Amino acid sequence: MEGEKIKIQVCGQEKEYEKGTQYLQIAKEYQADYTDDIILVSVDNRLSELHKRAKKDAEITFITTADKAGRKAYRRSTTLLMQKALYNLLGREKSAVRVLSCISQAYYCEMWNFGKPDEAFLARLKAEMLRMAEAEIPIQKSSVDTDEAVKLFGALGMAEKECLFRYRRSSRVNIYSLDRYQDYFYGYMAAHTGYLKYFDLQLYGNGFVLMFPDKDTKKTAEFTPSVKYFEALNHSREWGRTMGVDTIGSLNNAIASGRMQEIILVQEALMEQKIGQLAQTIASTGDRKFVMIAGPSSSGKTTFSHRLSIQLSALGLRPYPLSLDDYYLNREDAPRDEDGKLDFECIEALDVEQFNRDMTALLRGEAAELPSFNFKTGRREYKGRQLQLGEGDILVIEGIHGLNDKLSHTLPKESKFKIFISALTQINIDEHNYLPTTDGRLIRRIVRDARTRNTTAQETIAMWNSVRRGEEYYIFPFQDSADVMFNSGLIYELSVLKAYAEPLLFSVDKNAPEYMEAKRLLKFLDYFLPVPSEEIGRNSILREFIGGSAFHV
């Protein structure tokens, strides 16, 4: 009914609006109260785009570009802007671009039919993107039948999207349009291009990077790539292409055609070969007594350390796996974060001096009694675990701070061999939607923590931001100091984890703050056909998360 009023709760106030008012209009009224741009809105704890209209009484919360969901919306919207600008400059055939990975607050992109760009071309591309941003062109959304979407992407030459949606269970697909340029994106978008003014472009690798803001949402972050990380990503991508599995659609093709047993066996064999080669490298050094393994949460550090130990044993060495968790301070002595919660991510949570005393004694050939940490009581315990290093003995130490020399400051550099391990993405969703490494690790952790710590998916999601903060501060800055970077990602793992993770995610209460993230992850997992876990070997890194491992993990 024309003129009908509805009540909207916003910023602690209740206001009346005409039914059908765009959330974009409401956001404009409140933008002056926010430092960062409002880009999305949460309506009764459901994420929504600003072009949507208010149809009933509701409570709304604004999502800015400083928020996780808002930052992602900004990045995918800017990606669409970049694609459209390329199309304007080159036409459809030569403008084909692939968004391959996220590196240092930037998306790494390569062009298919144009070749390697130069500085002059990037300057033209940036100018065209800025022109479109100034024009505030609407980003429109429409819903089409899934079969129609398959035909559309086939006609547009987007073969990976065409393949992706052949396995789509939902009967409808959301298509975004920018000045008649159409594409699909995994997630929500900005209302118009006027939001997308803060970006830059820089040549890198065989393509370029599209750079975004970080904490300062109105300033492009400096591009500081890790060479070893980029090389590891490239190696993983090439392996996926060799196997004919480099996107979710091609993975689903392999599952549907019965190729998964072969792919699982080949990838596990390749990983074992790499671990064996790594053991050979360590053994050939002769003077390394401490193998320091570090990596972000849910990288499979524990299983990796055991598998590496087996390979070292096969070479005649005597490895002793050790977890840095055993050197946690007693819980009453542990530091707290800015919110007053126990901070287990910072290096100050460990008894660094005791660790150094023990390791120095072992290096001198003396005996040392090593502790064990009891997570139930929150205290370090000594149970007579004596160790003395002799000829051929080596300690395999895993923990998030393993690469930080502050942890092992009394140990000579030449006594340490450093390994950075992470589960790096080997496949992407499609041409323009990369698969975030962090999503894979979060799903690993949700499954593992539910099994080993009786932690709900809601609880794991709630602490994930704190975990990620700790990684940014205490792990990633040290990754390039590693002697070797090891990728523990498995090309098929999300298809296996799907059956374990979905029930846990469905259990998240719809009124909980974590519901939006749970819903996003469920949508993400819906892309994958399932793979049963029976074919997964007992020594696989994946067993650390789903259970049934040959190791005590």
Side-chain angles (χ1 to χ4, degrees):
M1 180 188 298
E2 188 175 345
E4 183 179 350
K5 299 291 185 179
I6 56 174
K7 294 178 180 178
I8 301 293
Q9 291 274 351
V10 54
C11 298
Q13 300 175 328
E14 182 177 281
K15 293 186 68 173
E16 282 195 344
Y17 289 93
E18 188 170 319
K19 185 177 180 179
T21 300
Q22 262 193 331
Y23 291 116
L24 180 62
Q25 186 60 44
I26 301 174
K28 286 179 179 178
E29 294 180 28
Y30 288 88
Q31 180 59 70
D33 298 332
Y34 290 80
T35 302
D36 307 292
D37 290 339
I38 298 170
I39 195 169
L40 298 173
V41 63
S42 172
V43 183
D44 290 334
N45 206 27
R46 307 292 188 275
L47 210 57
S48 181
E49 289 159 325
L50 292 178
H51 67 78
K52 296 282 188 179
R53 298 181 181 274
K55 297 179 180 178
K56 62 179 182 177
D57 295 352
E59 181 178 352
I60 69 172
T61 304
F62 295 122
I63 308 297
T64 74
T65 50
D67 298 313
K68 183 179 179 181
R71 183 170 64 252
K72 289 184 175 183
Y74 183 90
R75 292 185 174 192
R76 59 178 84 93
S77 302
T78 307
T79 302
L80 176 61
L81 177 72
M82 179 264 293
Q83 292 172 225
K84 171 59 175 168
L86 282 171
Y87 177 84
N88 290 349
L89 295 175
L90 300 172
R92 182 165 298 282
E93 185 177 342
K94 288 192 175 182
S95 65
V97 64
R98 291 191 75 180
V99 178
L100 293 173
S101 53
C102 181
I103 307 170
S104 178
Q105 310 304 325
Y107 287 174
Y108 174 65
C109 310
E110 290 183 0
M111 299 182 69
W112 286 354
N113 302 321
F114 179 75
K116 189 174 179 177
D118 56 21
E119 293 282 5
F121 179 76
L122 285 192
R124 289 175 58 207
L125 177 57
K126 181 178 179 180
E128 178 63 9
M129 291 174 68
L130 288 172
R131 182 194 68 77
M132 295 172 65
E134 290 295 332
E136 296 190 0
I137 305 169
I139 298 176
Q140 298 172 321
K141 183 179 184 178
S142 60
S143 176
V144 302
D145 181 83
T146 299
D147 290 337
E148 185 181 338
V150 171
K151 292 177 183 177
L152 170 66
F153 292 124
L156 293 176
M158 298 181 188
E160 293 171 5
K161 283 188 174 68
E162 181 185 9
C163 183
L164 179 72
F165 287 111
R166 284 185 187 142
Y167 297 95
R168 180 79 169 184
R169 291 179 182 176
S170 172
S171 60
R172 309 290 293 179
V173 174
N174 291 323
I175 304 294
Y176 288 96
S177 177
L178 176 56
D179 190 21
R180 298 183 299 280
Y181 180 92
Q182 294 176 298
D183 202 352
Y184 168 82
F185 281 88
Y186 161 56
Y188 297 95
M189 303 284 273
H192 58 71
T193 59
Y195 290 90
L196 314 176
K197 297 175 182 177
Y198 314 107
F199 65 88
D200 207 346
L201 301 166
Q202 182 175 316
L203 294 176
Y204 190 69
N206 290 319
F208 63 94
V209 287
L210 173 59
M211 300 154 59
F212 304 105
D214 188 14
K215 293 179 176 60
D216 184 344
T217 64
K218 298 184 179 181
K219 180 182 178 183
T220 306
E222 184 180 351
F223 182 57
T224 54
S226 163
V227 174
K228 291 179 181 177
Y229 179 79
F230 184 64
E231 288 175 351
L233 282 173
N234 281 341
H235 181 80
S236 297
R237 252 194 321 269
E238 285 305 314
W239 187 85
R241 287 174 186 162
T242 300
M243 294 297 295
V245 181
D246 57 352
T247 63
I248 294 177
S250 57
L251 173 64
N252 288 337
N253 278 342
I255 296 169
S257 63
R259 288 184 57 214
M260 282 317 296
Q261 183 176 13
E262 171 204 355
I263 290 172
I264 290 170
L265 290 172
V266 171
Q267 184 160 38
E268 289 289 356
L270 178 64
M271 185 170 287
E272 194 63 29
Q273 182 186 67
K274 287 181 178 178
I275 296 173
Q277 290 170 346
L278 185 51
Q280 289 274 7
T281 301
I282 294 168
S284 68
T285 63
D287 55 355
R288 308 294 179 99
K289 283 293 186 182
F290 305 99
V291 177
M292 314 293 287
I293 302 169
S297 174
S298 303
S299 292
K301 294 184 289 293
T302 305
T303 299
F304 172 77
S305 68
H306 284 291
R307 288 176 65 173
L308 179 61
S309 295
I310 289 171
Q311 291 287 347
L312 291 168
S313 295
L315 296 173
L317 298 176
R318 288 184 298 278
Y320 294 92
L322 174 67
S323 172
L324 287 174
D325 288 358
D326 288 330
Y327 282 89
Y328 271 131
L329 293 170
N330 293 333
R331 199 156 291 162
E332 64 266 23
D333 301 321
R336 296 183 177 269
D337 62 19
E338 57 195 26
D339 299 321
K341 298 177 182 177
L342 289 170
D343 187 354
F344 296 113
E345 309 300 322
C346 67
I347 194 169
E348 289 77 17
L350 299 175
D351 192 338
V352 172
E353 295 312 312
Q354 185 60 53
F355 174 80
N356 278 272
R357 282 193 291 271
D358 289 348
M359 297 305 108
T360 301
L362 291 172
L363 189 60
R364 289 197 300 257
E366 300 171 6
E369 183 180 2
L370 304 183
S372 298
F373 191 81
N374 187 325
F375 282 91
K376 291 183 179 179
T377 63
R379 299 187 66 81
R380 205 157 71 241
E381 298 174 347
Y382 286 87
K383 300 179 178 179
R385 186 164 59 132
Q386 292 280 342
L387 181 62
Q388 187 171 9
L389 294 183
E391 187 71 26
D393 293 342
I394 189 169
L395 269 175
V396 180
I397 303 168
E398 62 92 2
I400 62 174
H401 300 290
L403 302 188
N404 187 347
D405 284 329
K406 183 179 178 181
L407 170 78
S408 53
H409 62 90
T410 64
L411 300 179
K413 182 179 179 181
E414 59 272 14
S415 69
K416 296 178 281 189
F417 188 94
K418 297 180 178 180
I419 302 171
F420 180 84
I421 178 173
S422 189
L424 305 180
T425 301
Q426 296 179 306
I427 59 174
N428 278 339
I429 298 173
D430 56 40
E431 295 94 335
H432 307 133
N433 291 273
Y434 86 99
L435 196 158
T437 292
T438 51
D439 280 355
R441 291 196 291 109
L442 174 55
I443 290 168
R444 278 183 171 191
R445 181 156 177 160
I446 287 170
V447 171
R448 183 199 64 193
D449 285 7
R451 179 179 64 84
T452 63
R453 301 180 184 179
N454 200 29
T455 304
T456 66
Q458 182 176 329
E459 290 169 328
T460 301
I461 292 170
M463 64 177 136
W464 187 242
N465 283 340
S466 174
V467 171
R468 292 282 296 115
R469 255 195 325 269
E471 292 170 355
E472 294 294 337
Y473 283 126
Y474 306 117
I475 300 174
F476 295 126
F478 302 99
Q479 62 184 1
D480 270 347
S481 70
D483 296 291
V484 171
M485 185 170 288
F486 187 88
N487 183 8
S488 68
L490 298 161
I491 210 163
Y492 52 83
E493 66 177 74
L494 287 166
S495 290
V496 176
L497 290 166
K498 175 186 175 82
Y500 295 86
E502 283 183 334
L504 302 171
L505 291 166
F506 274 119
S507 72
V508 176
D509 188 276
K510 290 188 175 183
N511 295 314
E514 296 75 26
Y515 175 73
M516 283 192 290
E517 180 70 349
K519 185 178 178 183
R520 184 186 71 82
L521 292 172
L522 282 167
K523 181 181 177 183
F524 172 58
L525 288 169
D526 197 46
Y527 289 121
F528 294 87
L529 290 181
V531 168
S533 62
E534 286 78 11
E535 300 294 338
I536 309 301
R538 292 188 63 221
N539 72 334
S540 174
I541 279 177
L542 197 53
R543 287 288 177 190
E544 183 171 327
F545 305 96
I546 64 174
S549 177
F551 309 112
H552 181 63
V553 293

